[in-house]
Amino acid sequence: MQFRPTIDLLCDGPAMNVRFDGQTVIVTGAAHGFGRAISLAFAARGANVWACDVNDAGLRETEALSAEREAPLQVRTVDVSNREAVQALVKEASGRAGGRSREQRGGVLGQVGRPLEQIGQDDWHAIFRVNLDGAFYFSQAVAPLMKARGAGRIVNISSGAGLGVSLTGIQAYASAKAAQIGLTRQLAHELGAWGITVNNVAPGFVRSNPTTERQWESYGEEGQRRLIDNIAMKRLGSPDDIAHAVLFFASEYAGWVTGQILSVDGGK
């Protein structure tokens, strides 16, 4: 009989020393929340980070935070639903330094949950453009570069909504995030032969931006307590928890991991 090893680890802090010196990383949604945390995490570990968003003021805050931490990064105002703008950013970033990582996230664009019959066509498609089209456009733009190098990392940021139902009640958000997970799995098989991994982080509820703050407040004390009680670890996570999962997928530790969806939600 063959026995598999088990590990019990007692430690006071992170054990992995992950660095990305000389690597180029493009991060979307970098004006706040997850995107900002991911951008700062990569910059602190030596990466050449290109942080983008449509929110120019938020990007400047991200840029200032990185400068304070002596880990500078580049910021660009980019609409991820614009294929030409995405391609221009990838061309600019790839022209400055060699690299192999790209992180993509989206959002709800300020929308709130409404009954199905009240959803307009523009609202439906807007969320798909940011959460699904953007992921496709960036993957399409970086794939030739990664193929030429024989290596690359694509990490999409979906949501627990893509694996179940959305706490927001926004039908398009749950649908787009589920579709993004499908895209992740499909691209993993298409690109794996070139040493490119494609993975997905599915965050649970995190108070990470003005939208999630409003959502949190809307639950009231009782609803907030129920939400936390349903989490195995009995607490909310932080944007850094999501960034750390992305760092793993982008690192050499995940060299034989692809097409995977990692739920970072405190346990459900």
Side-chain angles (χ1 to χ4, degrees):
M1 181 180 294
Q2 183 178 10
F3 291 93
R4 298 290 185 182
T6 61
I7 299 173
D8 294 302
L9 177 63
L10 299 176
C11 65
D12 295 323
M16 290 196 303
N17 181 24
V18 178
R19 298 287 304 178
F20 297 94
D21 300 281
Q23 302 295 327
T24 296
V25 178
I26 300 174
V27 183
T28 70
H32 52 61
F34 299 155
R36 173 179 287 174
I38 293 167
S39 298
L40 295 176
F42 274 107
R45 290 161 177 81
N48 304 310
V49 176
W50 294 74
C52 69
D53 203 300
V54 292
N55 180 347
D56 184 69
L59 279 178
R60 298 305 166 187
E61 292 177 8
T62 300
E63 183 180 37
L65 285 170
S66 70
E68 288 175 7
R69 302 179 186 189
E70 299 183 350
L73 47 73
Q74 302 280 342
V75 297
R76 294 291 184 272
T77 304
V78 175
D79 178 357
V80 301
S81 68
N82 183 319
R83 184 173 181 268
E84 288 72 27
V86 168
Q87 290 178 330
L89 174 62
V90 171
K91 182 177 180 180
E92 182 182 11
S94 64
R96 297 288 184 90
R100 57 188 189 85
S101 294
R102 196 258 338 154
E103 280 63 50
Q104 161 71 27
R105 63 176 305 273
V108 299
L109 304 179
Q111 294 188 37
V112 297
R114 289 171 291 161
L116 177 63
E117 59 270 23
Q118 295 180 13
I119 308 303
Q121 179 175 294
D122 290 343
D123 287 343
W124 172 264
H125 287 296
I127 287 181
F128 269 81
R129 283 194 295 270
V130 170
N131 292 281
L132 184 59
D133 293 0
F136 175 77
Y137 292 152
F138 266 103
S139 297
Q140 188 178 56
V142 301
L145 303 170
M146 292 180 175
K147 285 181 177 180
R149 295 187 177 100
R153 298 283 192 269
I154 296 173
V155 185
N156 292 315
I157 308 296
S158 59
S159 168
L163 295 168
V165 296
S166 175
L167 293 176
T168 67
I170 300 173
Q171 303 87 346
Y173 184 70
S175 302
K177 289 301 188 182
Q180 190 199 86
I181 288 171
L183 177 66
T184 297
R185 290 174 171 146
Q186 188 66 36
L187 293 182
H189 281 268
E190 178 179 342
L191 301 177
W194 287 273
I196 303 166
T197 67
V198 188
N199 290 292
N200 200 301
V201 176
F205 180 78
V206 178
R207 297 170 64 184
S208 60
N209 56 47
T211 298
T212 53
E213 283 299 320
R214 288 192 296 271
Q215 186 179 346
W216 175 253
E217 292 299 325
S218 73
Y219 295 150
E221 290 186 12
E222 183 178 347
Q224 293 168 4
R225 185 165 51 251
R226 280 200 307 270
L227 190 152
I228 292 175
D229 284 345
N230 286 329
I231 298 173
M233 297 193 71
K234 306 305 179 189
R235 66 174 178 84
L236 297 180
S238 72
D240 285 339
D241 291 314
I242 310 308
H244 294 159
V246 173
L247 292 176
F248 166 69
F249 275 142
S251 76
E252 293 302 326
Y253 291 100
W256 204 48
V257 180
T258 195
Q260 300 305 304
I261 293 79
L262 176 59
S263 294
V264 183
D265 56 12
K268 294 292 187 179

